[in-house]
């Protein structure tokens, strides 16, 4: 989806302090660098991943048909599309894709832009987005974030994870997905409850993690970077259809014989 909107209007350049970047040397590189030990990686992960790809081949999970990448107006100007992506992500938190998609459609019928949302009173916005999860809080966050976008970013959305997570109601998962979808940029792995749960079930983390952010750090430590963008889409759909939160459908899973958490009958 992100590639559809990468022809973007320029954002006024903002001065940023240059950050120092630590350089990790490969074995044998650098001045007297010690050879690095082989990086930890999970057992059977390549085969597990390939089987998940096979199970997701039909692309018929709710995330495929009604996910955030399907919620924005692909005919709108790039800046408007990016704003709509961010709003869809904010609405999607603790909300089913079907409910988010319907709310976005109602918003878009009113002409979903920074200006139209700023002109909308809180009660009207609440009526439109209801019944998304925590809709009252989201009304407040949407209004606050939209005002910041208007004042600080000329109506566009920030183009870095660091700036995105500073916006009210925007967490790390949303920020990484916004980078993927809106900016066609891979800054990290977007970890939601599905990715968090499945990563722990498959033992794709060295030790059990309690929170999605811990899981993101653990995955980024070993998962090849060229897979970072794909992994969210794969695991979310897999989690919606097969590896369910309660009563996972292990008997229908191609990984049943190599999954540490599988129920084997």
């Amino acid at each position: 989806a992100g590639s559809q909107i990468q022809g973007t209007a320029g954002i006024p350049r903002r001065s940023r302090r240059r950050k120092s970047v630590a350089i990790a040397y490969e074995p044998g590189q650098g001045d007297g660098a010690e050879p690095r030990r082989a990086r930890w990686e999970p057992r059977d992960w390549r085969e597990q991943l390939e089987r998940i790809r096979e199970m997701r081949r039909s692309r018929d999970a709710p995330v495929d048909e009604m996910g955030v990448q399907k919620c924005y107006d692909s005919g709108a100007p790039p800046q408007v599309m990016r704003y709509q992506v961010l709003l869809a992500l904010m609405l999607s938190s603790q909300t089913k894709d079907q409910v988010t998609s319907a709310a976005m459609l109602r918003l878009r019928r009113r002409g979903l832009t920074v200006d139209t949302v700023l002109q909308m009173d809180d009660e009207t916005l609440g009526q439109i987005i209801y019944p998304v999860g925590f809709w009252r809080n989201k009304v407040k966050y949407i209004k606050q974030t939209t005002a910041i976008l208007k004042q600080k970013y000329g109506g566009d959305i920030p183009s870095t994870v660091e700036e995105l997570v500073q916006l009210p109601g925007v967490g790390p998962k949303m920020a990484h997905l916004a980078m993927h979808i809106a900016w066609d940029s891979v800054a990290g792995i977007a970890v939601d409850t599905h990715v968090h749960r499945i990563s722990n079930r498959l033992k794709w983390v060295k030790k059990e993690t309690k929170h999605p952010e811990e899981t993101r750090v653990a995955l980024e430590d070993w998962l090849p970077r060229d897979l970072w963008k794909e992994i969210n889409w794969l695991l979310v759909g897999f989690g919606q259809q097969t590896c369910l939160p309660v009563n996972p459908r292990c008997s229908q899973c191609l990984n049943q014989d190599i999954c540490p958490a599988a129920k084997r009958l």
Side-chain angles (χ1 to χ4, degrees):
S3 59
Q4 295 175 324
I5 54 177
Q6 61 183 336
T8 57
I11 305 173
R13 289 189 175 271
R14 297 176 296 282
S15 63
R16 294 196 186 104
R17 293 179 182 173
R18 301 195 86 148
K19 296 181 180 178
S20 59
V21 179
I23 299 173
Y25 290 104
E26 293 299 323
Q29 289 184 332
D31 296 328
E34 289 289 327
R36 188 193 289 175
R37 290 182 181 179
R39 179 171 291 184
W40 176 87
E41 61 179 43
R43 181 180 177 182
D44 300 324
W45 75 269
R46 291 184 187 277
E47 191 170 1
Q48 290 165 342
L49 179 63
E50 201 51 51
R51 292 181 185 184
I52 292 171
R53 285 190 181 121
E54 177 62 26
M55 288 183 278
R56 293 283 287 116
R57 192 167 57 169
S58 58
R59 296 174 177 257
D60 56 1
V63 69
D64 301 305
E65 298 170 354
M66 290 166 281
V68 168
Q69 76 281 2
K70 298 283 189 181
C71 287
Y72 63 83
D73 178 6
S74 60
Q79 186 168 308
V80 173
M81 284 194 286
R82 288 192 289 267
Y83 174 64
Q84 292 184 0
V85 167
L86 184 62
L87 236 62
L89 287 166
M90 294 176 73
L91 293 176
S92 70
S93 175
Q94 300 188 55
T95 303
K96 290 187 175 180
D97 288 328
Q98 298 91 323
V99 177
T100 300
S101 177
M104 281 296 293
L105 189 58
R106 292 191 295 272
L107 283 168
R108 283 171 53 190
R109 284 178 182 148
R110 295 199 169 222
L112 180 52
T113 66
V114 165
D115 289 332
T116 58
V117 169
L118 288 176
Q119 291 162 12
M120 208 177 286
D121 61 70
D122 290 6
E123 184 179 356
T124 301
L125 181 57
Q127 290 172 349
I128 295 172
I129 70 172
Y130 179 85
V132 300
F134 302 98
W135 63 273
R136 288 185 179 88
N137 285 338
K138 289 177 183 178
V139 166
K140 178 177 68 176
Y141 293 144
I142 287 170
K143 282 304 212 52
Q144 291 174 346
T145 284
T146 304
I148 292 169
L149 298 180
K150 176 79 170 179
Q151 295 161 8
K152 189 174 180 181
Y153 298 98
D156 209 333
I157 73 171
S159 58
T160 68
V161 169
E162 291 75 18
E163 291 171 294
L164 284 163
V165 295
Q166 295 301 313
L167 298 170
V170 178
K173 179 209 76 172
M174 298 180 210
H176 285 293
L177 280 175
M179 293 299 294
H180 293 184
I181 300 169
W183 291 111
D184 194 31
S185 174
V186 181
I189 299 172
V191 177
D192 70 346
T193 56
H194 294 291
V195 179
H196 173 63
R197 176 180 74 254
I198 294 165
S199 295
N200 276 275
R201 284 179 177 173
L202 290 172
K203 305 292 187 193
W204 281 10
V205 289
K206 202 169 185 179
K207 59 181 180 178
E208 184 181 358
T209 54
K210 301 294 185 184
H211 307 288
E213 261 301 274
E214 289 179 68
T215 304
R216 179 186 66 79
V217 173
L219 287 174
E220 288 179 4
D221 188 55
W222 67 267
L223 189 70
R225 195 180 181 94
D226 61 348
L227 299 175
W228 287 11
K229 189 171 184 178
E230 177 190 25
I231 210 70
N232 176 270
W233 167 78
L234 277 176
L235 296 191
V236 169
F238 179 54
Q240 290 176 335
Q241 293 182 306
T242 307
C243 199
L244 306 177
V246 180
N247 299 321
R249 296 167 179 161
C250 297
S251 62
Q252 301 173 22
C253 181
L254 298 180
N255 277 323
Q256 187 180 22
D257 62 327
I258 55 173
C259 174
K263 297 173 183 175
R264 298 179 181 86
L265 303 177

